Amino acid sequence: MFGFNKSSAPAFQNLTPAQFAEGLRQPGAVLVDVRRPDEFAAGHLPGAVNIEVTAPDFGQRVADLDKTKPTYVYCRSGARSANAAGQLTTAGFAQVSNLLGGVMDWPGQLTTK
């Protein structure tokens, strides 16, 4: 009734850009950009796949990803990707990390390729 038994901590990790970059070096890490396709096309982290979190087929598209691999998500500021990270965790992904501050705080180069 009052939520005493509910955990308020997210089931995913929020990482600083430095922690996020270090995590991406893990073998098998999957990087997902959850922004709109036009945002992705304007510049994204190298190696990212674009799966828009607000698209109707988001759940279907992420179902094709390997739930056992470490999965790193980001967006523009970290809000949409926190939402996506929560959805991935609920869907059974074992290790999900969200980039705090999104690409706005990312110190590295973005690519359009």
Side-chain angles (χ1 to χ4, degrees):
M1 175 173 174
F2 296 103
F4 292 123
N5 294 327
K6 291 183 179 178
S7 171
S8 61
F12 55 86
Q13 295 181 315
N14 286 308
L15 302 179
T16 65
Q19 293 169 323
F20 197 85
E22 185 173 328
L24 287 175
R25 293 189 197 109
Q26 293 181 72
V30 176
L31 179 60
V32 181
D33 183 322
V34 298
R35 298 176 299 162
R36 295 185 321 264
D38 63 311
E39 295 175 295
F40 181 82
H44 56 271
L45 274 63
V49 294
N50 184 214
I51 304 176
E52 181 184 2
V53 69
T54 58
D57 64 346
F58 177 76
Q60 185 179 23
R61 292 193 60 203
V62 296
D64 292 337
L65 301 175
D66 186 340
K67 293 180 180 180
T68 64
K69 292 186 176 180
T71 304
Y72 293 82
V73 296
Y74 71 92
C75 64
R76 180 177 171 272
S77 67
R80 283 178 285 176
S81 55
N83 178 340
Q87 291 185 50
L88 292 172
T89 301
T90 301
F93 282 76
Q95 186 181 345
V96 180
S97 299
N98 175 45
L99 175 59
L100 288 172
V103 292
M104 291 175 57
D105 288 348
W106 183 252
Q109 292 288 324
L110 301 179
T111 183
T112 55
K113 296 180 182 178

